[in-house]
Amino acid sequence: MSYQIQHNRRECIGCGACAAVAPEHWEMNADGKSDCKNSKKNEKEWEIKDIADADFEINKEAAEACPVNVIHIVDKDKKQII
């Protein structure tokens, strides 16, 4: 199974929890908000990144650490996991 990260960057408050939990996937930007590394922006300006099964758990932890719930993970059928 494969997964996709969907990050509503516009609503990010820049707490840095995601980057602290999963620095290989998340980083803080100069504007104070987080970025999902190697992601693309969709038409809503959300950051989108496909991830392998092996990267699911660490990104799930990053999503759960987000206090404003702007990181979502969906499965291949676009069913929201987190």
Side-chain angles (χ1 to χ4, degrees), residues 5 7 9 12-39 41 47 49 59 62 71:
I5 295 170
H7 178 225
R9 190 177 188 281
C12 175
I13 62 169
C15 76
C18 56
V21 169
E24 61 279 4
H25 295 278
W26 297 91
E27 64 189 351
M28 297 307 294
N29 192 299
D31 69 358
K33 295 188 177 205
S34 66
D35 282 322
C36 182
K37 294 180 178 180
N38 303 312
S39 64
K41 287 199 172 38
E47 292 180 330
K49 178 181 175 182
N59 282 289
I71 300 170

Side-chain angles (χ1 to χ4, degrees), residues 50-63:
D50 293 329
I51 58 170
D53 292 356
D55 297 322
F56 173 77
E57 281 300 323
I58 193 68
N59 282 289
K60 180 177 180 271
E61 289 178 30

